[in-house]
Amino acid sequence: MSVTDPAVELHSVTKLFGHQKAVDSVDLVVPKGSIYGFIGPNGSGKTTTMRMILRIYKPDAGTVEVLGSHNHDLVDSRVGYLPEERGLYRRMTVRRILRFFGRLKGVRHPDAIIDQFLEKFGAKDWANKRIDQLSKGMAQKIQFIVAVIASPELVILDEPFSGLDPVNMEMLRDAVLEIRANGGTVIFSTHDMDMAERMCDRVFMIYQGRKVLDGTMDSIQNGYGVNSLRVRMSDPSQLPDRIPGVSEIRHRGRFTELFLEAEEARPGVLRTLSEAGDVEHFETVRPSLHDIFIRIAKVD
């Protein structure tokens, strides 16, 4: 994956709404063929950034380049978009609406492609049902098909997993991974930190309009050091109530997670546990994306 061939580039991009900076001097490079996760609290600037990439908004300062183009007036059929606010015509049938959007995106004979997608998403029996007859999960899958029906080079998904049950979530996850496997680029925003950690090649976090994280999971986690230890004693009652160097103890089923005051406390914690009883399991745990997100968002 080379950043010398980017799908999207943002250079010092700023967007104002009145006197409020929704996005403040953001630089970003999204490599082609990658899955790039956008995370951040509500109102942090994620959707605004995506809408500038989509040319829905123009930046007040800086430049946005998409698939090699600086044209701020138009996004072509090479870009697919699934908005957070779903927007299907509720009284149209599934097949009619997919035909409509397929032809709008330049797919001249969309029926064969529609059948393939409906089969893949377990929606074949719903082809002639109206949108207002679909469950939320089914409607969301149809909205996703709308976004990708023209095989776009870049797909932008705003909260694609919101409200899905685990089965549909995994189905959509596999579809996103398939886009990357076929050479496409995916940008998606999510509040599901576990999904972002599992799927993304790189993660971008925006907070109060400014970029605060941008990199691979390894580079992000390495920057935050060792966060905790996962331990198990042969006799759970042997675990001390207080352990020097540990700020918090959380019991998680068969294991206990010990949050360290500092990475250097690890040898001392092991020594304390060994003196207290038989240690069956002792594992260093790097901070999860969820933990890092919370740590940044709690800082004013």
Side-chain angles (χ1 to χ4, degrees):
M1 184 188 307
S2 172
V3 295
T4 60
D5 189 21
V8 175
E9 286 188 90
L10 277 63
H11 298 288
S12 301
V13 168
T14 295
K15 181 61 184 176
L16 299 168
F17 293 105
H19 297 292
Q20 178 69 35
K21 282 187 179 180
V23 176
D24 188 1
S25 301
V26 166
D27 294 301
L28 188 67
V29 178
V30 178
K32 286 185 178 179
S34 67
I35 298 177
Y36 222 107
F38 279 25
I39 64 173
N42 291 332
S44 61
K46 300 188 301 298
T47 296
T48 299
T49 302
M50 294 168 99
R51 287 177 177 175
M52 285 190 286
I53 295 171
L54 288 159
R55 318 302 201 199
I56 296 171
Y57 296 151
K58 291 184 178 180
D60 293 295
T63 60
V64 178
E65 184 174 333
V66 181
L67 300 176
S69 173
H70 288 88
N71 185 347
H72 290 291
D73 298 323
L74 181 66
V75 166
D76 58 34
S77 60
R78 295 181 299 162
V79 180
Y81 177 44
L82 186 154
E84 183 176 8
E85 306 84 6
R86 309 305 183 225
L88 299 175
Y89 299 111
R90 296 181 58 79
R91 298 183 66 83
M92 288 179 70
T93 64
V94 168
R95 183 173 295 279
R96 284 188 64 203
I97 204 164
L98 292 177
R99 281 175 179 161
F100 171 75
F101 280 107
R103 287 166 178 160
L104 196 65
K105 285 288 189 176
V107 182
R108 292 186 178 181
H109 305 288
D111 279 338
I113 298 171
I114 290 170
D115 287 337
Q116 290 173 12
F117 274 116
L118 293 178
E119 182 75 31
K120 178 187 296 185
F121 285 104
K124 193 173 181 180
D125 292 340
W126 294 87
N128 297 313
K129 300 289 186 180
R130 289 190 340 194
I131 296 300
D132 58 9
Q133 295 176 301
L134 305 184
S135 67
K136 180 178 180 181
M138 185 64 72
Q140 196 151 328
K141 288 190 286 186
I142 300 305
Q143 184 90 58
F144 178 82
I145 296 172
V146 166
V148 300
I149 193 168
S151 301
E153 296 176 37
L154 171 65
V155 181
I156 299 178
L157 311 172
D158 199 351
E159 294 291 345
F161 306 106
S162 176
L164 291 180
D165 62 54
V167 172
N168 283 320
M169 191 177 292
E170 285 302 307
M171 190 178 293
L172 196 60
R173 171 184 173 271
D174 290 345
V176 171
L177 293 175
E178 186 177 340
I179 292 170
R180 180 183 62 184
N182 291 331
T185 306
V186 180
I187 295 173
F188 76 88
S189 70
T190 183
H191 285 105
D192 187 332
M193 297 300 104
D194 179 63
M195 185 65 76
E197 195 166 333
R198 288 167 57 200
M199 289 185 61
C200 295
D201 299 302
R202 299 180 70 89
V203 174
F204 159 75
M205 180 173 178
I206 187 167
Y207 181 62
Q208 296 180 347
R210 299 189 68 87
K211 181 172 76 173
V212 293
L213 286 178
D214 184 17
T216 64
M217 276 307 306
D218 281 342
S219 67
I220 289 170
Q221 288 176 317
N222 289 339
Y224 280 80
V226 173
N227 186 54
S228 65
L229 303 170
R230 186 178 293 121
V231 304
R232 184 176 67 232
M233 308 293 288
S234 59
D235 181 355
S237 66
Q238 295 174 338
L239 184 73
D241 293 331
R242 293 184 180 180
I243 304 171
V246 172
S247 61
E248 184 180 357
I249 299 175
R250 294 183 190 172
H251 299 287
R252 302 186 185 278
R254 296 171 56 240
F255 296 94
T256 300
E257 193 163 4
L258 309 178
F259 289 84
L260 302 178
E261 294 174 352
E263 187 171 346
E264 295 74 21
R266 180 174 35 172
V269 171
L270 178 58
R271 186 165 52 250
T272 298
L273 295 176
S274 299
E275 292 170 352
D278 180 22
V279 181
E280 288 188 343
H281 185 96
F282 186 90
E283 175 189 4
T284 297
V285 180
R286 293 194 297 175
S288 67
L289 189 57
H290 173 86
D291 293 332
I292 295 169
F293 181 100
I294 295 297
R295 196 182 306 183
I296 293 173
K298 280 186 174 179
V299 176
D300 292 325

